[in-house]
Amino acid sequence: MSEQVRIIEMGPRDGLQNEKTPVSMEARIRFIEALVGAGLHTVEVGAFVSPKAVPQMASSDRVLKGVSHITDAEFHVLVPNEKGYEAALIAGARVVSVFASASEGFSRANINCSVAESIERFKPVLARAGADGVKVRAYISCVLGCPFDGEVKPQAVAEVARTLWDLGCYEISLGDTIGVGTPLKAKQLLRAVGGTVPVASLAMHFHDTYGQALANLYAGMEEGVRVIDSAAGGLGGCPYAPGATGNVATEDVVYMLHGMGIRTGIDMEKLLAATNEMSRVLGRPPVSRVASALNAKAKRAAD
Ligand code: HMG
Ligand code: MG
């Protein structure tokens, strides 16, 4: 597997969307600057969703404008519908991400509509984005289990993936929203979805709730997937997915990949500094195992 892997950094969006501690717009912008400085050139920076639903993502327009001076990075934002797309476009978005679910229960809880209705909401977004030259990425949530409906069949995910692909999404990110997957299930899922969408256009977005994310990522890499969503420090969680904790930590992914001789272009020291600064803002240590180990090592060296 001595190749390259593309990491999409989720910290400023998935990472902060469920945080109890308020994070100022300035701190969000500084976090993004530090992440790009560490070599993370694709960063999801916000969400154009209802501020009543997710107050943490309010002012995403100002955050996106606040990082517009950074020219060597691609910034993504979530949009659930045409209203969100309109606002994102005005704020300067060049890549937007729509988000569907493989299960009806989560779709209803998260975006207040059925899976089929969500696809209908995305159609005008895709049409306008095509005309505006804006790229559209897509998420599918609950690909390995749903907090409301339980088991989710790989075929159900494959069908939603095919629909989003046919609509023109350039990449489909598969979300284990509640982190319940295990490696063989991840493999079965990727085989099923890889039968309907090119594997090169799939991404893995695994939350680490049950500590399985790295193992699942490795299993997915064995199936040929080379795009990984992760969040600095292991931040994150969805307010509408009961019990879900953070995304797999970027530090943990980078440590594993570098150990396997796979290039990422990410500077671990600078990444750790970005994580530690956000950790200071939030007032608690990072959950990332690698960040904790490196911080402990630095402390031992300083003592
Ligand atoms: P709705 O109630 O069905 O929408 O919500 P509506 O069209 O009836 O509008 C209701 C209100 O929302 C109205 O305002 C609209 O103007 C407003 P009011 O009249 O009550 O003042 N509204 C909006 N405001 C701002 N931006 C918009 C927008 N659209 C409507 N785009 C809606 C539907 C999707 C808006 C709502 O349910 C919502 O915002 N949900 C939040 C979903 C969310 O952000 N979830 C977390 C991100 S997804 C995730 O974390 C999973 C992922 O990481 C992958 C994984 O891990 O699986 C991606
Ligand atoms: Mg997520």
Side-chain angles (χ1 to χ4, degrees):
M1 289 196 201
S2 57
E3 307 160 41
Q4 243 175 322
V5 162
R6 194 155 52 85
I7 294 184
I8 318 290
E9 171 59 37
M10 292 288 131
R13 195 280 300 172
D14 206 335
L16 298 182
Q17 73 181 7
N18 202 25
E19 267 305 323
K20 308 276 171 295
T21 312
V23 178
S24 69
M25 196 195 42
E26 292 74 20
R28 285 161 72 185
I29 292 172
R30 276 200 306 276
F31 187 36
I32 297 161
E33 288 170 341
L35 292 165
V36 176
L40 288 150
H41 292 284
T42 311
V43 185
E44 195 156 87
V45 299
F48 289 83
V49 298
S50 160
K52 284 182 194 151
V54 188
Q56 292 88 339
M57 289 294 104
S59 306
S60 283
D61 54 339
R62 293 165 72 201
V63 171
L64 190 57
K65 286 182 192 152
V67 295
S68 61
H69 62 283
I70 305 173
T71 51
D72 60 341
E74 182 178 275
F75 297 122
H76 296 191
V77 290
L78 285 190
V79 300
N81 51 21
E82 206 176 348
K83 184 181 170 85
Y85 176 77
E86 180 76 41
L89 190 71
I90 291 168
R94 303 307 303 156
V95 185
V96 298
S97 296
V98 294
F99 49 110
S101 173
S103 64
E104 293 295 341
F106 183 72
S107 185
R108 182 64 59 195
N110 194 36
I111 50 176
N112 194 29
C113 63
S114 69
V115 176
E117 283 164 346
S118 73
I119 301 292
E120 290 308 311
R121 290 181 183 180
F122 301 156
K123 283 181 182 168
V125 172
L126 265 297
R128 289 188 58 180
D132 297 335
V134 170
K135 293 201 296 174
V136 184
R137 194 174 193 248
Y139 291 98
I140 306 176
S141 288
C142 296
V143 297
L144 289 163
C146 171
F148 306 103
D149 302 351
E151 197 197 336
V152 173
K153 297 253 185 313
Q155 208 43 45
V157 184
E159 278 163 27
V160 178
R162 179 74 210 191
T163 304
L164 292 166
W165 178 252
D166 287 344
L167 280 179
C169 298
Y170 75 93
E171 190 165 272
I172 315 286
S173 180
L174 301 171
D176 184 7
T177 318
I178 51 170
V180 288
T182 44
L184 290 182
K185 286 192 176 151
K187 262 181 188 291
Q188 283 159 4
L189 169 76
L190 290 163
R191 276 184 201 159
V193 180
T196 60
V197 172
V199 171
S201 301
L202 295 179
M204 299 182 282
H205 177 109
F206 296 161
H207 286 256
D208 203 22
T209 317
Y210 286 81
Q212 304 295 303
L214 276 185
N216 294 344
L217 289 176
Y218 187 87
M221 287 177 65
E222 285 195 323
E223 293 301 312
V225 185
R226 290 292 179 275
V227 186
I228 295 175
D229 296 355
S230 61
L235 291 166
C238 175
Y240 296 98
T245 61
N247 288 92
V248 66
T250 308
E251 294 86 344
D252 297 8
V253 174
V254 169
Y255 183 87
M256 178 179 84
L257 295 176
H258 288 183
M260 292 164 68
I262 294 174
R263 290 191 306 275
T264 63
I266 294 160
D267 179 322
M268 181 67 94
E269 219 173 291
K270 290 182 178 167
L271 169 59
L272 184 64
T275 288
N276 283 342
E277 172 55 17
M278 184 43 72
S279 179
R280 191 190 60 76
V281 170
L282 298 175
R284 58 177 159 72
V287 296
S288 156
R289 300 293 292 266
V290 169
S292 307
L294 292 176
N295 281 335
K297 191 175 171 189
K299 190 170 179 301
R300 279 196 307 277
D303 286 345

